[in-house]
Amino acid sequence: MRTCRRALTVLALALPLSALGAAPVVDNNSGSGSSSYPPAGYGTSGAYAGGGVTAPASAQGQLFMQLQQMQDEIARLRGVVEVQQNDIQRMKQEALERYQELDKRIASGASGAAAPATNNSQPAGGAIDAGGTPSAPAAQQAPAAGTEPPDPAKEKLYYEAAFDLIKAKDFDKASQAFTAFLRKYPNSSYAGNAQYWLGEVNLAKGDLQGAGQAFAKVSQQYPKHAKVPDSLYKLADVERRLGHTDKVKGILQQVVAQYPGTSAAQLAQRDLQRL
């Protein structure tokens, strides 16, 4: 019996030693990737271990950065929208001012076209009333090629019809009517006025290029016309709206120097002080 117990004891002591002998030996100097410490995947969850995927903490950081970028982009877009809204509001205000100014000019010129027709493009031409209609006769020029011969009655009706389109605020048709009138009757007593009102109509439409060309032609083609100071002042306003600030000062100075005492000169002097 004692012999059996001794044999069991020896066997029990020998088992752990055999187990240890079977355990693999790790050589830290082998250079193998599998022998690194800590082992691959240590300290990571099963969903991220060994898969090359960013750990949860890094994913949260990326999400935070994306959110920050989105907030920055939203702030930038808000700034763009605010600028556009300000531009729209400014254009609406400018359009309203143009309409209001045009209404005043129409009101002052509504009774204009009843006077006898004269050639206001001539230096000896008569004065122009508030509506831009000549009030004293002058000699007519010979019609140019492609134009109709002078017909004061027809010219008067044509001019009044175009002016009525302005009062009706049908600016597209008014622009077409004045353009056609000037093509048919370039030497008419109403031509200088038609040229000026063509500029006003184009300005009311927002056609700055067309308005500038029309206003410039008043002084170029009808240099003695009473509308020249007003047309030059309006031309300066158009150049300002187009951003041609280098031209504005010269035009305003021309109005003040050449047409003193006119309302256009007073407005030009005021604008020069603001520049």
Side-chain angles (χ1 to χ4, degrees):
M1 178 64 68
R2 289 182 180 177
T3 302
C4 292
R5 287 180 181 176
R6 187 177 301 166
L8 289 174
T9 301
V10 173
L11 180 60
L13 292 173
L15 284 174
L17 294 176
S18 62
L20 288 174
V25 177
V26 177
D27 184 2
N28 290 332
N29 298 323
S30 64
S32 173
S34 61
S35 62
S36 61
Y37 183 86
Y42 178 83
T44 61
S45 63
Y48 294 89
V53 182
T54 308
S58 180
Q60 292 177 357
Q62 286 188 353
L63 182 60
F64 175 79
M65 291 179 61
Q66 292 176 357
L67 179 61
Q68 186 65 38
Q69 290 174 353
M70 291 175 62
Q71 290 175 341
D72 293 342
E73 182 66 14
I74 290 172
R76 187 187 67 80
L77 291 175
R78 284 177 177 173
V80 172
V81 170
E82 289 179 1
V83 171
Q84 292 177 342
Q85 288 177 339
N86 291 335
D87 289 343
I88 292 172
Q89 185 63 32
R90 176 180 55 79
M91 289 188 290
K92 285 182 177 179
Q93 183 62 32
E94 290 180 352
L96 177 61
E97 292 174 356
R98 289 199 300 269
Y99 282 126
Q100 291 174 341
E101 183 180 359
L102 185 58
D103 282 339
K104 292 179 182 178
R105 293 178 180 274
I106 291 173
S108 66
S111 61
T118 60
N119 190 342
N120 53 29
S121 65
Q122 296 297 315
I128 310 298
D129 64 14
T133 303
S135 57
Q140 293 283 352
Q141 291 181 341
T147 62
E148 293 187 5
D151 187 342
K154 185 183 292 187
E155 293 168 15
K156 178 176 180 292
L157 291 174
Y158 207 139
Y159 178 83
E160 287 179 338
F163 199 83
D164 286 341
L165 290 171
I166 298 181
K167 290 188 286 185
K169 292 184 171 55
D170 192 343
F171 300 128
D172 288 331
K173 290 184 179 179
S175 177
Q176 295 172 5
F178 280 121
T179 299
F181 177 90
L182 290 166
R183 184 169 56 250
K184 286 186 176 182
Y185 307 109
N187 299 318
S188 168
S189 58
Y190 297 93
N193 301 296
Q195 188 67 59
Y196 172 81
W197 283 109
L198 178 60
E200 288 281 12
V201 168
N202 288 336
L203 185 60
K205 289 169 55 181
D207 180 7
L208 297 180
Q209 294 289 346
Q213 293 173 3
F215 286 131
K217 285 183 179 179
V218 177
S219 60
Q220 294 169 358
Q221 299 183 4
Y222 312 98
K224 300 298 183 180
H225 198 280
K227 283 292 186 183
V228 170
D230 288 339
S231 66
L232 288 174
Y233 177 76
K234 299 296 289 188
L235 177 61
D237 181 52
V238 171
E239 296 291 356
R240 178 186 63 81
R241 295 174 188 271
L242 289 171
H244 303 159
T245 54
D246 56 325
K247 298 181 180 180
V248 174
K249 186 175 182 179
I251 298 173
L252 293 177
Q253 289 174 337
Q254 178 184 356
V255 175
V256 172
Q258 296 183 4
Y259 307 98
T262 63
S263 59
Q266 295 175 356
L267 293 173
Q269 185 64 51
R270 180 203 62 186
D271 291 352
L272 283 171
Q273 294 174 352
R274 294 177 178 178
L275 291 177

